[in-house]
Amino acid sequence: MRKLNESELKNTYAGEALTLTAVMAIMAVAVMAVIVYKLFISDKGNASVPGGWKFTWS
């Protein structure tokens, strides 16, 4: 690691990590929304969740 000089400091922009985190969070929510939508719209099916929980609907 080294210290940045004045011109290098002026060329750095803050916020990239925050933006990337926000985009990833929105994508995760969107994927979960699609999965939940497909589960509730389907006429019949089943789902199993870790811990022994099993759901079946028809």
Side-chain angles (χ1 to χ4, degrees):
M1 293 185 58
R2 65 177 179 84
K3 290 187 177 184
L4 299 176
N5 60 30
E6 288 295 320
S7 64
E8 291 172 328
L9 285 173
K10 289 179 182 177
N11 289 329
T12 58
Y13 300 102
E16 289 93 0
L18 180 62
T19 303
L20 181 62
T21 303
V23 168
M24 294 297 288
I26 290 170
M27 288 183 65
V29 168
V31 168
M32 289 303 297
V34 168
I35 291 171
V36 169
Y37 175 76
K38 292 284 187 178
L39 277 173
F40 284 113
I41 295 302
S42 64
D43 291 335
K44 60 181 179 177
N46 59 11
S48 57
V49 181
W53 293 84
K54 293 185 180 184
F55 302 99
T56 304
W57 61 95
S58 53

